[in-house]
């Protein structure tokens, strides 16, 4: 059972392409200075679409170990879909990951579990690693039905998938009440849900898939709580918003093992 830890920086709608250039160089420098082992923890950034070409240029030119991806993708190949970005476009930009189903897209863009599942399918078929996000709102947490709710989101998105395909994705559990609020779920809260997700994958897709699929926690993860989160049995990394916008804090999190 060897799951490579993953630190993923979700920049959301922050940083223009010049700032992106600066941040990627800063992260690379921090990690280089500390002899970071990219095999020990994969490091991935998710810039806005308009920054990806710039990130590609630096990563290629300096042969950086940092990987990058997109925050969303279209389920269509091309055509009359104003504002959308296709898998082929992302492929040309050297992306290796694609996020789908972030709570901000579910909430502000009305994305359903079915659409999120279709995006994950589209991304996987195009050769990307999907990062499938899930997570409950505060009311659901207060009602005590968070585990059921999250498993429902995942099962709806992955209905009909093969065990092999599910093993190739990354799941990110992000309780909405902990996103950008400074309110982290306790590591026990995070482990409870991440453990339940792995158990559900075991029931639905078997041991090999459950043991291979990486599960991230997201929601106010920061340098101060990352070690404790990473010590949990079923947490394989973090999807990091605010703390990923500073080279020092993001690099420190990537070196959680040090
Ligand atoms: P946060 O965001 O780390 O700023 O809470 C996490 C996310 O929404 O991916």
């Amino acid at each position: 059972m060897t799951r490579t830890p993953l630190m993923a920086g979700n920049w959301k709608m922050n940083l223009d392409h010049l700032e992106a250039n600066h941040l990627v160089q800063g992260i690379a420098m921090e990690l280089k200075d500390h002899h970071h082992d990219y095999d020990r923890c994969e490091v991935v950034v998710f810039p806005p679409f308009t920054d990806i070409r710039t990130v590609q240029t630096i990563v290629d030119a300096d042969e950086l170990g940092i990987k990058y991806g997109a925050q969303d993708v279209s389920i269509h190949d091309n055509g009359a879909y104003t504002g959308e970005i296709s898998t082929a476009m992302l492929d040309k930009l050297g992306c290796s990951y694609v996020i789908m189903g972030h709570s901000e897209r579910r909430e502000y863009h009305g994305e359903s579990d079915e659409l999120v599942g279709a995006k994950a399918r589209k991304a996987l078929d195009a050769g990307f690693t999907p990062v499938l996000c899930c997570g409950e709102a505060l009311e659901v947490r207060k009602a005590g039905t968070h585990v059921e709710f999250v498993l429902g989101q995942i099962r709806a998105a992955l209905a009909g998938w093969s065990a092999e395909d599910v093993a190739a994705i990354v799941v990110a559990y992000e309780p909405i009440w902990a996103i950008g609020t400074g309110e982290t779920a306790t590591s026990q809260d995070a482990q409870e849900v991440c453990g339940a997700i792995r158990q559900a994958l075991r029931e639905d897709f078997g041991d090999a898939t459950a043991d291979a699929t990486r599960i991230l926690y997201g929601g106010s993860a920061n340098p101060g709580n990352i070690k404790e989160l990473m010590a949990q049995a079923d947490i394989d990394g973090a999807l990091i918003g605010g703390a990923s916008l500073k080279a020092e804090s993001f690099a420190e999190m990537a070196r959680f093992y040090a």
Side-chain angles (χ1 to χ4, degrees):
M1 195 178 70
T2 47
R3 296 187 297 268
T4 307
L6 171 59
M7 286 301 151
N10 175 12
W11 296 1
K12 309 192 181 187
M13 196 173 73
N14 293 295
L15 311 184
D16 61 34
H17 72 284
L18 300 173
E19 293 165 328
N21 188 340
H22 188 73
L23 179 55
V24 169
Q25 291 194 3
I27 295 165
M29 197 69 81
E30 288 280 333
L31 293 176
K32 185 163 167 257
D33 287 350
H34 290 97
H35 309 287
H36 174 69
D37 181 354
Y38 287 93
D39 291 334
R40 194 128 182 226
C41 177
E42 226 181 307
V43 179
V44 184
V45 295
F46 292 89
F49 289 126
T50 51
D51 298 356
I52 297 178
R53 173 66 178 147
T54 300
V55 171
Q56 176 186 34
T57 305
I58 314 162
V59 167
D60 286 357
D62 296 349
E63 295 179 17
L64 303 180
I66 297 170
K67 295 177 186 169
Y68 54 92
Q71 298 173 17
D72 186 30
V73 72
S74 174
I75 56 166
H76 304 289
D77 287 330
N78 54 52
Y81 301 101
T82 302
E84 299 263 289
I85 299 291
S86 71
T87 50
M89 294 168 183
L90 297 178
D91 190 41
K92 271 277 185 288
L93 292 171
C95 291
S96 39
Y97 284 80
V98 179
I99 291 174
M100 65 278 311
H102 191 282
S103 58
E104 287 148 18
R105 291 212 61 88
R106 291 177 187 263
E107 185 179 357
Y108 308 139
H109 300 271
E111 295 197 1
S112 65
D113 290 329
E114 290 66 31
L115 178 64
V116 170
K119 287 184 174 190
R121 179 82 259 164
K122 190 79 188 167
L124 187 72
D125 288 347
F128 303 100
T129 301
V131 179
L132 173 65
C133 300
C134 57
E136 83 286 357
L138 188 58
E139 307 81 73
V140 176
R141 167 69 56 166
K142 281 185 174 157
T145 51
H146 48 286
V147 169
E148 194 184 320
F149 179 87
V150 167
L151 297 187
Q153 285 183 316
I154 292 175
R155 285 185 158 132
L158 300 179
W161 282 50
S162 71
E164 196 186 1
D165 285 352
V166 174
I169 75 166
V170 172
V171 174
Y173 167 59
E174 302 199 302
I176 296 170
W177 46 273
I179 295 178
T181 56
E183 179 131 2
T184 331
T186 64
S187 46
Q188 289 74 24
D189 287 340
Q191 165 58 28
E192 179 200 19
V193 181
C194 292
I197 292 170
R198 197 175 309 284
Q199 183 53 34
L201 295 180
R202 198 171 298 287
E203 286 161 19
D204 296 358
F205 301 102
D207 287 340
T209 296
D211 291 339
T213 307
R214 287 183 292 178
I215 303 175
L216 313 182
Y217 166 77
S220 300
N222 62 58
N225 57 31
I226 194 66
K227 275 186 199 288
E228 199 183 321
L229 288 165
M230 292 304 289
Q232 305 304 311
D234 294 299
I235 299 178
D236 304 313
L239 185 53
I240 307 157
S244 77
L245 297 173
K246 292 265 181 299
E248 302 74 29
S249 52
F250 186 56
E252 192 178 337
M253 295 174 80
R255 298 181 61 265
F256 70 91
Y257 55 81

